[in-house]
Amino acid sequence: MTQIVKMKGMNKYFGKLHVLKNIDLTVEQGEVVVIIGASGSGKSTLIRCVNGLEEFESGTLEVDNHPLAPRGGNQKNLAEIRKEVGMVFQQFNLFPHLTVKNNITLAPTRVKRTAQVVANATADRLLERVGIGSQADKYPSQLSGGQQQRVAIARALAMEPRLMLFDEPTSALDPEMIGEVLDVMRELAKEGMTMMVVTHEMGFAREVADRVIYIHEGQIVEEGKPDDVFDNPQNERTQAFLSRVLAH
């Protein structure tokens, strides 16, 4: 299998705070890796390093065979990586002054120089794919939170990424809107999209993940198939975390 992400001995600091500690992690093409852990454990920082939104201090990181340099190094591959990696954030980060369709076509036409007519057709197809084909001419403020997050997913997919990163994509949504976003992510997983997902949705993690990673204080302390991690965790920290989150 082709490894899309390769981390070896990766360390990340915020000042003196050691946020990620000697991270060794690979993600294979077509794999869905779900990252769980308490708030502040380093989950979001980990995936933000993958597309260069955060710089790491030491170790190695490759994304689709493109090395990223540690802080202060030559980031010559960063632009290429960002063409191949889509990211969906907690907040939707849509441009409020652009229509839904124009939010989706902006990056392909400017970054990839895609013809506008092609970008428009792709946007229409992706909006249908995420279940909001009728919303193309509306503005973000006219949509629900769940609809805006689905636009954000469509926008990321418009760049035809090799890898999708999701940073707690449902945490800002009302409970009744969470399901519609998770449904889109389930479909992406079924279609073979390579995904790294940070989430507190344990049911989704159990159902969709090929592998679950549990991070505690910046370290990977447990990883494995969902049933193994959720039903028979080996590390006492994992056991304590799951006993808290699964009880609610």
Side-chain angles (χ1 to χ4, degrees):
M1 292 288 287
T2 301
Q3 292 181 335
I4 299 294
V5 178
K6 290 186 280 190
M7 300 177 183
K8 186 70 174 176
M10 194 177 77
N11 289 276
K12 164 69 182 172
Y13 292 83
F14 288 125
K16 294 183 179 180
L17 182 62
H18 198 176
V19 182
L20 296 175
K21 303 170 183 176
N22 295 311
I23 298 292
D24 293 339
L25 178 63
T26 59
V27 180
E28 295 184 346
Q29 184 175 344
E31 188 178 23
V32 178
V33 174
V34 174
I35 304 165
I36 63 172
S39 296
S41 59
K43 309 182 302 296
S44 294
T45 301
L46 175 65
I47 65 167
R48 288 170 67 90
C49 286
V50 173
N51 68 346
L53 289 175
E54 297 287 355
E55 290 185 296
F56 60 99
E57 271 65 39
S58 63
T60 61
L61 170 59
E62 288 186 20
V63 182
D64 204 16
N65 293 318
H66 300 302
L68 266 173
R71 182 184 299 278
N74 184 349
Q75 302 295 1
K76 61 182 180 179
N77 293 323
L78 185 56
E80 192 63 34
I81 287 172
R82 287 183 173 166
K83 289 180 184 178
E84 299 180 8
V85 179
M87 186 158 186
V88 178
F89 300 87
Q90 297 177 35
Q91 303 298 328
F92 321 124
N93 294 340
L94 301 176
F95 294 108
H97 64 291
L98 297 180
T99 65
V100 164
K101 180 182 283 190
N102 288 341
N103 263 281
I104 295 171
T105 61
L106 184 65
T109 54
R110 291 193 177 182
V111 177
K112 286 194 165 184
R113 305 300 181 187
T114 303
Q116 188 69 53
V117 63
V118 175
N120 287 342
T122 299
D124 289 337
R125 174 176 56 80
L126 290 172
L127 286 170
E128 289 292 341
R129 183 177 178 182
V130 300
I132 48 173
S134 62
Q135 310 298 325
D137 296 323
K138 291 185 177 180
Y139 288 86
S141 62
Q142 297 174 290
L143 304 182
S144 70
Q147 289 173 325
Q148 289 186 61
Q149 193 62 297
R150 284 185 280 169
V151 173
I153 294 173
R155 179 179 61 181
L157 292 174
M159 291 293 286
E160 299 180 327
R162 301 254 297 155
L163 168 68
M164 284 285 286
L165 308 176
F166 292 88
D167 185 8
E168 299 188 25
T170 61
S171 65
L173 299 178
D174 293 332
E176 64 270 20
M177 297 177 184
I178 290 173
E180 60 193 43
V181 173
L182 293 180
D183 284 344
V184 173
M185 295 170 65
R186 286 186 183 95
E187 287 303 312
L188 289 177
K190 288 179 184 177
E191 293 166 8
M193 174 62 73
T194 310
M195 297 161 62
M196 296 179 70
V197 183
V198 171
T199 186
H200 293 292
E201 300 293 335
M202 297 299 149
F204 172 82
R206 180 189 285 269
E207 176 190 352
V208 174
D210 296 301
R211 187 158 39 112
V212 173
I213 307 288
Y214 173 64
I215 293 184
H216 176 76
E217 295 182 352
Q219 293 180 294
I220 295 176
V221 299
E222 187 140 6
E223 65 178 293
K225 294 186 179 300
D227 288 347
D228 293 335
V229 172
F230 286 114
D231 295 337
N232 190 30
Q234 300 300 300
N235 189 285
E236 62 183 17
R237 295 188 180 98
T238 318
Q239 295 167 6
F241 172 76
L242 291 175
S243 69
R244 292 194 304 271
V245 299
L246 296 179
H248 298 286

